[in-house]
Amino acid sequence: LGLACGTGSLTIELAQRGFDIYGIDSSFEMLSVAQQKAAEAKLNLLFLCQKMQSIDLYGTVDTVFCVLDSINHLTSEKEVLDTFQQVSLFLNPGGYFIFDVNTIYKHQKVLADHTFVYDLDEVFCVWQNQLEEKTNRVRIDLDFFVRSGSLYQRSSEHFYERAYGEEQLRSMLEETGFQVEAVYGDLTFEMPHSDEERILFVAKKKE
């Protein structure tokens, strides 16, 4: 299962590599893009519109992937715990739950109250952040200016992400029937450094 699969890039990549996989996301818009991409790749994939914390599957699966800091979009511990519980419920014993998260370091030192500007050929993007230090929650405001002839059309997105500590996530995984097999730094198979911006968990459902 590709959990919070977005526009389906990883789901489609794994399907093309021979995996029997389907995707879940809470956004109809993103799933529409995913379905179009799957059709262009001549793949008949199932995509379901469900929230992570209340997934309801037709049966159990062997592996669940959840990437690109989707867990950070859950801004309360209860939402994370509910998500882990539902994943555990629909995961076969001995199955794997693999997910990544942005770290507290990234929220406090990289995102923080900073502003980023991207000036690309077809789009101009302003990315502004506001950090809530007590919760390690960041409000993210994105403004896009897309070229349309000699004019630009503006669109905006606003959302929150929250960072959780490694031990906090380990505890919630243990509580919901998982054992942590490994924690890796970003794009490595090494232990995370103190200034790691993203870490990846490999958790196994207890037999």
Side-chain angles (χ1 to χ4, degrees), residues 134-156:
K134 289 185 178 179
T135 62
N136 290 311
R137 194 172 75 154
V138 172
R139 175 185 166 93
I140 298 174
D141 297 299
L142 299 171
D143 289 295
F144 301 97
F145 300 85
V146 180
R147 187 189 298 276
S148 178
S150 60
L151 301 175
Y152 282 88
Q153 293 183 335
R154 178 179 177 175
S155 62
S156 301

Side-chain angles (χ1 to χ4, degrees), residues 7 26-34:
T7 61
S26 64
S27 168
F28 280 108
E29 292 79 7
M30 286 193 173
L31 291 179
S32 294
V33 175

Side-chain angles (χ1 to χ4, degrees), residues 46-64:
L46 175 65
F47 292 101
L48 302 175
C49 190
Q50 297 180 2
K51 291 184 176 181
M52 284 189 285
Q53 59 269 40
S54 55
I55 59 173
D56 187 11
L57 309 184
Y58 300 113
T60 54
V61 296
D62 294 318
T63 309
V64 175

Side-chain angles (χ1 to χ4, degrees), residues 70-200:
S70 296
I71 296 296
N72 295 107
H73 286 263
L74 302 171
T75 56
S76 73
E77 292 179 23
K78 183 180 185 305
E79 287 180 320
V80 177
L81 201 62
D82 288 346
T83 297
F84 288 178
Q85 184 62 63
Q86 290 304 105
V87 171
S88 179
L89 179 64
F90 290 103
L91 194 60
N92 289 323
Y96 285 92
F97 179 29
I98 301 170
F99 65 93
D100 65 14
V101 289
N102 284 335
T103 62
I104 291 175
Y105 172 86
K106 182 174 182 178
H107 275 226
Q108 292 181 345
K109 303 297 184 182
V110 179
L111 298 181
D113 295 307
H114 297 151
T115 297
F116 305 95
V117 176
Y118 299 92
D119 188 2
L120 307 176
D121 289 340
E122 298 299 324
V123 62
F124 184 86
C125 174
V126 180
W127 172 357
Q128 301 178 81
N129 301 310
Q130 290 180 299
L131 174 66
E132 298 175 0
E133 292 187 8
K134 289 185 178 179
T135 62
N136 290 311
R137 194 172 75 154
V138 172
R139 175 185 166 93
I140 298 174
D141 297 299
L142 299 171
D143 289 295
F144 301 97
F145 300 85
V146 180
R147 187 189 298 276
S148 178
S150 60
L151 301 175
Y152 282 88
Q153 293 183 335
R154 178 179 177 175
S155 62
S156 301
E157 292 185 19
H158 313 280
F159 55 92
Y160 287 90
E161 287 197 14
R162 181 176 174 182
Y164 300 90
E166 181 181 333
E167 291 306 316
Q168 189 177 16
L169 291 167
R170 282 179 178 271
S171 176
M172 287 191 277
L173 287 166
E174 287 284 338
E175 186 176 341
T176 51
F178 291 98
Q179 61 188 38
V180 177
E181 297 283 289
V183 180
Y184 298 118
D186 192 24
L187 301 179
T188 76
F189 289 107
E190 305 295 332
M191 292 181 60
H193 300 295
S194 59
D195 59 352
E196 205 78 60
E197 294 184 24
R198 184 190 302 271
I199 57 176
L200 184 135

